[in-house]
Amino acid sequence: MKKLLILFCFVFLVQFSVLAQVPGSQSVYVELGGAGLAYSFNYDFRFDKNDINSWGMRLGAGGWATNWGNRERLLTMPFQLNKLFGSQKHFFELGGGATFVYYRDQWNNSWSGETILYKDFDFILNTGDTPAFMGTLNFGYRRIPVDGGFTFKANLTPIFNQNGFWPLWVGVGFGYAF
């Protein structure tokens, strides 16, 4: 788990240190729903920094932790390859990838004193014991200002795993393109 977080931070910092030659070829944003399932903080960049319509990658992280009678912890890390199609500031985004899911819910049974641990995340499609991966697709709209600045995206994000396919999951993101 620590190795994945270290790898994510390393990739994030390396990409942040490279200056974009085309405004808007990199962005940071928060997404509600979408590939991060509940929510995620994301970094997106184009492989060809001179062509906004080139292939790119998105890396993110989201989750929560509670301690109200039970200890519930969730970590999601979406990873997607994507391509933009458009001009000026309006783009169609097409992509696919996977979301790493790590979930633990631990609570004490007051009758027996036994500690119960759940590892399966039942979010639309049950993941089974985690850590696990959820497949994601992405079809949507992305607004990227010509000179960088406030960016917006809205997308349909079908999700799938060994337990099925859910075509009607959506995401909305707000952030900054540079």
Side-chain angles (χ1 to χ4, degrees):
M1 179 60 108
K2 286 183 182 180
K3 290 179 184 178
L4 282 174
L5 287 173
I6 290 169
L7 177 65
F8 174 76
C9 290
F10 176 75
V11 170
F12 184 78
L13 291 174
V14 167
Q15 287 299 321
F16 238 161
S17 67
V18 177
L19 295 175
Q21 295 179 9
V22 173
S25 66
Q26 299 180 73
S27 62
V28 290
Y29 60 94
V30 62
E31 183 179 45
L32 304 173
L37 303 181
Y39 72 92
S40 59
F41 296 95
N42 300 276
Y43 172 63
D44 186 280
F45 63 93
R46 305 289 96 205
F47 293 128
D48 180 355
K49 300 208 182 301
N50 295 315
D51 183 8
I52 195 87
N53 285 296
S54 69
W55 283 92
M57 183 170 24
R58 165 241 184 112
L59 302 166
W64 65 74
T66 64
N67 198 13
W68 301 317
N70 66 331
R71 292 184 52 198
E72 184 179 32
R73 299 174 308 275
L74 173 69
L75 171 65
T76 61
M77 296 176 69
F79 162 83
Q80 285 187 331
L81 295 175
N82 56 49
K83 181 150 175 43
L84 298 177
F85 300 92
S87 62
Q88 297 298 318
K89 59 185 175 181
H90 303 286
F91 297 89
F92 175 74
E93 181 179 3
L94 176 67
T99 298
F100 173 79
V101 179
Y102 177 85
Y103 180 77
R104 296 293 184 266
D105 186 8
Q106 180 179 343
W107 55 281
N108 293 321
N109 185 329
S110 60
W111 294 102
S112 68
E114 176 185 11
T115 299
I116 299 171
L117 178 65
Y118 290 104
K119 296 180 182 180
D120 62 326
F121 186 55
D122 199 2
F123 181 82
I124 300 175
L125 297 172
N126 191 312
T127 61
D129 280 354
T130 62
F133 287 93
M134 182 85 69
T136 61
L137 299 174
N138 186 24
F139 309 96
Y141 169 77
R142 190 189 297 193
R143 182 188 180 280
I144 304 172
V146 174
D147 295 327
F150 176 77
T151 185
F152 167 78
K153 66 183 283 177
N155 48 309
L156 178 64
T157 309
I159 59 176
F160 57 93
N161 66 10
Q162 72 278 8
N163 291 319
F165 178 76
W166 186 261
L168 299 176
W169 187 242
V170 296
V172 176
F174 304 93
Y176 185 78
F178 51 98

